[in-house]
Amino acid sequence: MAWDETGLSGLQAQLAHEMLSRVTAFTFGPEVRLVRGVVASPDRPGTGRVVLWDGQRLDSSVAFDVPLTDTQGGNIPSEDLAAALRGVTTDCSEREIEAAPRDAFGIPVIDASAPVPAFVAEPRFTVPDALHAAAAVFSLPPEPEEPPELRLRGFLLLDRTRCRLYLDTPESQDAPPFGIDLPLQDEKGSVTVGATALHTALPVLLLGELDRMRKDVQDPYCHTVHDLADWLTGN
């Protein structure tokens, strides 16, 4: 089967969507941890149990019990739980794992009921968290019911403070995408993950305002690049 450029751009968008889910792989010290399973904790109502492993040895598995609601009974966003869990796994020592009780499969279970609320009260996001949040705003579901106004064709971390998203519109057909540069840290240097307002505002900016933000740079992955850092921060 021969694909035309329009069809290939759709496949590229689906690849970006699929790879985006891999951006925030769980880290455990110098190692990478993958998700082995997600279940409900059998002895802690309102608690989810996430089982992580190294992707090679099942005996490397460690389970973490995380609360699904906060102290006021409100739900904790799954993105916050995932970010908090990455912090918990990094801080967890081998001694804690060895001393932890085992479940029916012999997997050590760490109680993360205290660290998660602490994270919610004072979030500690990482650069991968921020990259994921920025790109996910424009990421397509596998089979969208309606074409979105803007579609994510790709993304690239430029450095620890900025990312570039490659976007197009339904009218783009087989044209190259355009790039937008977004900040991943605030003026104090803290990692931020809030770019959802951009999804609503950017189609309006495309009507003319975006040209004012065009950067004089060459990028082989897009036809133009626009810097939205000042616009997002109000500078």
Side-chain angles (χ1 to χ4, degrees), residues 142-192:
E143 296 180 3
E145 295 180 2
E146 298 179 2
E149 292 183 275
L150 291 168
R151 178 178 63 169
L152 180 73
R153 286 272 296 274
F155 55 92
L156 182 66
L157 183 68
L158 300 177
D159 53 42
R160 297 190 66 83
T161 65
R162 299 172 302 141
C163 72
R164 181 167 296 166
L165 305 185
Y166 299 99
L167 307 171
D168 68 7
T169 69
E171 295 76 27
S172 298
Q173 297 298 326
D174 57 353
F178 63 93
I180 60 170
D181 287 0
L182 303 178
L184 301 180
Q185 296 184 3
D186 61 22
E187 62 278 3
K188 298 179 181 179
S190 299
V191 175
T192 59

Side-chain angles (χ1 to χ4, degrees), residues 123-154:
R124 291 183 301 155
F125 293 108
T126 64
V127 171
D129 291 325
L131 173 61
H132 182 278
V137 172
F138 300 98
S139 181
L140 283 173
E143 296 180 3
E145 295 180 2
E146 298 179 2
E149 292 183 275
L150 291 168
R151 178 178 63 169
L152 180 73
R153 286 272 296 274

